Amino acid sequence: MMQTTTSKPLQCGRHRLDLSFPHVMGILNVTPDSFSDGGHHVALDDALRRAEQMLAEGAAIIDVGGESTRPGAAEVSTQQELDRVLPVVETLVHELDALVSVDTSTPEVMREAANAGAGMLNDVRNLRRDGAVRAAVSTGLPVCLMHMLGEPGDMQDAPHYERPVEEAVAEFLEARVAACEASGLRRERLLIDPGFGFAKTVEHNLRLLKYMDRLTSLELPILVGMSRKSMIGKVLERPVEERLAGGLALSALAVERGARILRVHDVGPHVDAVNMAWAVLKEGCDND
């Protein structure tokens, strides 16, 4: 296939991530209140075992989060987040040599996680907290900017868009990328996430995925997270523990529409779905 901006390798600390094909990012929430797996991996040993399992199933990245961002979630203090995240990052880096992403909006956590060996930052608030851009620049790490309006506590209070949601999301992310570049964060270090489930109705989410290829015009790697989310539950009328099949369908569609990183809970099945979708998409391309 032709090399594009979105398929250039991404330097993630001492790891180099080849984005010429899609990867699976395993979710490791070290929180007591995340919507799907809250409280399951709070203990360090539990977190280590879960990360080992996800890596064995084919995860290329482990995304560690110390603050729940489910709808209505309360914020945590900086110290709480540091206490939850740093021991896990240090352990995964030193014991498993894992490429660790840290899901945080907090400048102090960004800096300390980088010092602990993290290779990527993943910010649902797209570096809008005071000092976040400066902190991200100082780490030298790639950063994923996600689309979200408001805060987790109020983002689902009647979300509304004057324009088609895919246009609104693309323009928002383009503006955030430009603002980050103006503050010294180089474009080659940026990824984008359309923010499924964040300030969006089910109808918004479905349309956004249908027209997600609109985001490829930004020529940046696309990270997508739809695993176990309420959009699946509401369409299929399934509780959170029965949403895997719907999530696999969404991951395959996202790959077809340009996603390069799929952020998921159930790594093994998603690796198979992503690899199968990719095999279809790349068939014959090597001979073009």
Side-chain angles (χ1 to χ4, degrees), residues 17-266:
L17 188 66
D18 182 357
L19 290 177
S20 64
F21 58 92
H23 298 275
V24 167
M25 168 187 276
I27 298 170
L28 184 61
N29 287 319
V30 289
T31 58
D33 57 346
S34 291
F35 83 95
S36 174
D37 55 356
H40 292 182
H41 312 117
V42 174
L44 182 58
D45 189 60
D46 291 338
L48 177 61
R49 299 286 85 77
R50 178 60 181 148
E52 284 182 321
Q53 179 185 4
M54 290 192 289
L55 291 170
E57 291 176 354
I61 313 162
I62 304 297
D63 192 46
V64 177
E67 176 191 15
S68 174
T69 53
R70 62 180 172 78
E75 293 186 14
V76 300
S77 71
T78 297
Q79 192 58 54
Q80 280 180 305
E81 194 178 352
L82 287 167
D83 290 345
R84 292 172 179 177
V85 167
L86 290 186
V88 175
V89 173
E90 291 171 349
T91 300
L92 300 190
V93 168
H94 293 119
E95 295 197 20
L96 303 180
D97 192 30
L99 169 49
V100 177
S101 166
V102 175
D103 184 357
T104 185
S105 303
T106 308
E108 293 87 345
V109 177
M110 294 177 187
R111 286 190 288 265
E112 292 302 321
N115 291 337
M120 185 184 297
L121 302 173
N122 182 17
D123 185 5
V124 300
R125 296 178 179 85
N126 49 80
L127 300 180
R128 286 185 291 123
R129 277 187 174 167
D130 288 344
V133 175
R134 290 193 301 276
V137 170
S138 72
T139 67
L141 299 179
V143 185
C144 184
L145 306 175
M146 194 194 79
H147 174 272
M148 178 176 66
L149 302 179
E151 289 287 330
D154 61 18
M155 65 182 179
Q156 289 303 107
D157 295 347
H160 175 74
Y161 297 90
E162 296 293 338
R163 308 188 59 194
V165 65
E166 70 278 7
E167 296 294 334
V169 169
E171 290 179 8
F172 176 96
L173 289 171
E174 192 168 23
R176 287 304 300 150
V177 167
C180 290
E181 285 187 284
S183 297
L185 191 55
R186 296 194 307 277
R187 191 179 187 89
E188 58 265 30
R189 287 175 49 198
L190 293 174
L191 306 89
I192 54 172
D193 180 345
F196 290 99
F198 287 80
K200 297 170 186 72
T201 64
V202 173
E203 291 74 19
H204 289 146
N205 287 319
L206 296 177
R207 181 182 174 97
L208 182 57
L209 179 57
K210 182 175 182 179
Y211 298 108
M212 196 184 78
D213 55 358
R214 165 68 177 84
L215 299 183
T216 60
S217 65
L218 277 67
E219 297 190 323
L220 289 169
I222 300 173
L223 185 154
V224 168
M226 294 180 283
S227 176
R228 300 183 185 175
K229 287 191 173 177
S230 63
M231 62 183 289
I232 304 171
K234 289 176 181 176
V235 171
L236 301 181
E237 299 183 349
R238 298 290 187 183
V240 67
E241 66 274 11
E242 296 179 12
R243 296 176 185 172
L244 175 58
L248 295 175
L250 296 179
S251 285
L253 288 167
V255 168
E256 191 272 336
R257 286 157 173 78
R260 280 296 187 266
I261 300 176
L262 289 299
R263 184 179 181 273
V264 306
H265 297 87
D266 305 285

